[in-house]
Amino acid sequence: MNIGSIIASKRKALGLTQQNIAERLNISYQAVSKWENGSSYPDLELLPQLAAVLDTSVDGLLGYPVNALTIYEERYKSEDYYWGLKPNDMCYDIMRLLPPVKPYRVLDIGCGEGKDAVFLAKNGYIVSAFDAAQSGLDKARRLADKSGVGIEFFRADIRDWRPEREYDIIYSSGVFCYLEEGLRREFTDSLKAHTAEGGLNALNVFVEKPFIPTPPDREKSESYKKGWLSGELFMYYHNWLFHRNDEIIFDCHSSGTPHQHCMDILIAEKRS
Ligand SMILES: C[S@@+](CC[C@H](N)C(=O)[O-])C[C@H]1O[C@@H](n2cnc3c(N)ncnc32)[C@H](O)[C@@H]1O
């Protein structure tokens, strides 16, 4: 992503107008508009101040993932696979709905240590996958090598990254919770626009329920200031064909303290 798109996406996520940014930097709103549409760049001296206004770092503005973006950077450093190696059941939904009879292109968003990306690649899909945790990507690459499959892995932040090419299947498990409220519609719209006709988006997201206490290990990230509402993910895909829209509540022991999560699961097909 270029700096203009990053500025626009961070500004929108914070609910700011171009005028708001301009006032804080003591410049004209036309200057901000030009950065965002790529016809000019901010002066170097302005970058730290601009980064502060947009609640990021200069690295973040330039599209570099900020180091240790996620608690998983540490957790993935151990030898064992934190999430195990069993593929998520959405992978089987994908195989049932769009079997790999031709080289379908899959994107795995927030692939972690790569268990699902590798499973799909082993079954004949052409897979690209990204995550914010470098340690997860390193392990995922090792798993792909061991399994004899080639996968395009890259490091990116879901809040800044947007697709630039088309995929047949876009898959993501346990990651959309990192999208701040102001980014969710724009992000899902960009996934939808970059999905081939007849293609699938297979996604899940943790949702809030008033009767389920906040999990003890919930991260303090910005995105969690306002969690996803039950049904919100389904709403963003209201004009696609639903093959699966489930809401499940499950027990979890991840922090050593038993607790529950509620999750919405969506498998939707692009149909014009
Ligand atoms: C619950 S794990 C799920 C991992 C994998 N999808 C799986 O099911 O095994 C959440 C993943 O999101 C990644 N993550 C956290 N913040 C992220 C961000 N801002 N951009 C991209 N990935 C992020 C973490 O590194 C982690 O791998």
Side-chain angles (χ1 to χ4, degrees):
M1 247 186 140
N2 60 43
I3 185 164
S5 335
I6 293 172
I7 293 170
S9 114
K10 291 197 178 293
R11 174 179 65 72
K12 287 177 196 160
L14 293 168
L16 297 172
T17 62
Q18 292 180 339
Q19 182 67 35
N20 296 145
I21 305 282
E23 280 164 14
R24 293 189 201 180
L25 297 177
N26 212 12
I27 53 171
S28 70
Y29 81 86
Q30 288 94 337
V32 181
S33 164
K34 281 185 185 168
W35 300 341
E36 291 190 1
N37 68 29
S39 52
S40 75
Y41 296 102
D43 288 341
L44 272 181
E45 309 85 76
L46 260 187
L47 288 184
Q49 210 186 335
L50 177 60
V53 170
L54 293 173
D55 197 18
T56 185
S57 60
V58 173
D59 269 1
L61 267 187
L62 296 176
Y64 295 111
V66 180
N67 273 337
L69 243 180
T70 157
I71 51 166
Y72 294 104
E73 191 67 74
E74 275 309 304
R75 290 184 185 174
Y76 291 158
K77 283 183 182 159
S78 69
E79 270 308 299
D80 52 331
Y81 279 77
Y82 189 83
W83 304 110
L85 290 172
K86 189 169 162 268
N88 187 290
D89 62 358
M90 287 197 298
C91 295
Y92 295 101
D93 291 328
I94 290 171
M95 292 193 61
R96 184 172 48 82
L97 291 164
L98 222 48
V101 289
K102 57 181 191 174
Y104 286 120
R105 198 171 259 289
V106 178
L107 171 70
D108 180 354
I109 298 176
C111 61
E113 301 155 299
K115 64 177 170 52
D116 297 326
V118 169
F119 173 79
L120 292 169
K122 271 165 61 180
N123 279 288
Y125 296 92
I126 310 299
V127 183
S128 304
F130 76 85
D131 198 279
Q134 189 58 50
S135 52
L137 292 167
D138 294 343
K139 257 165 125 175
R141 267 192 204 101
R142 289 200 294 275
L143 187 61
D145 289 347
K146 211 169 124 194
S147 310
V149 290
I151 295 179
E152 179 201 33
F153 287 111
F154 56 100
R155 190 178 185 205
D157 183 339
I158 190 177
R159 295 167 303 174
D160 296 336
W161 182 89
R162 297 294 175 270
E164 281 170 0
R165 64 174 187 229
E166 197 172 74
Y167 298 91
D168 298 295
I169 298 152
I170 298 185
Y171 168 84
S172 184
S173 176
V175 187
F176 273 33
C177 51
Y178 300 108
L179 281 171
E180 290 131 48
E181 192 189 11
L183 290 178
R184 293 173 195 167
R185 182 180 293 279
E186 178 251 313
F187 185 70
T188 48
D189 278 351
S190 78
L191 299 187
K192 289 166 75 179
H194 289 86
T195 304
E197 194 62 32
L200 298 173
N201 281 194
L203 313 166
N204 65 32
V205 66
F206 295 110
V207 299
E208 306 255 308
K209 286 286 185 191
F211 50 86
I212 297 185
T214 304
D217 56 351
R218 182 148 137 168
E219 287 173 63
K220 306 270 177 297
S221 102
E222 189 65 23
S223 50
Y224 277 124
K225 276 195 186 148
K226 190 152 192 318
W228 284 67
L229 294 178
S230 171
E232 186 178 345
L233 177 65
F234 305 146
M235 188 197 56
Y236 295 138
Y237 282 83
H238 68 93
N239 51 356
W240 281 31
L241 175 69
F242 285 13
H243 288 283
R244 180 173 174 192
N245 56 319
D246 292 336
E247 184 161 276
I248 56 166
I249 294 175
F250 58 96
D251 296 322
C252 183
H253 298 268
S254 60
S255 55
T257 315
H259 58 279
Q260 288 190 310
H261 291 286
C262 184
M263 177 176 259
D264 281 3
I265 304 168
L266 174 71
I267 314 265
E269 177 185 332
K270 182 168 177 172
R271 285 252 185 117
S272 54

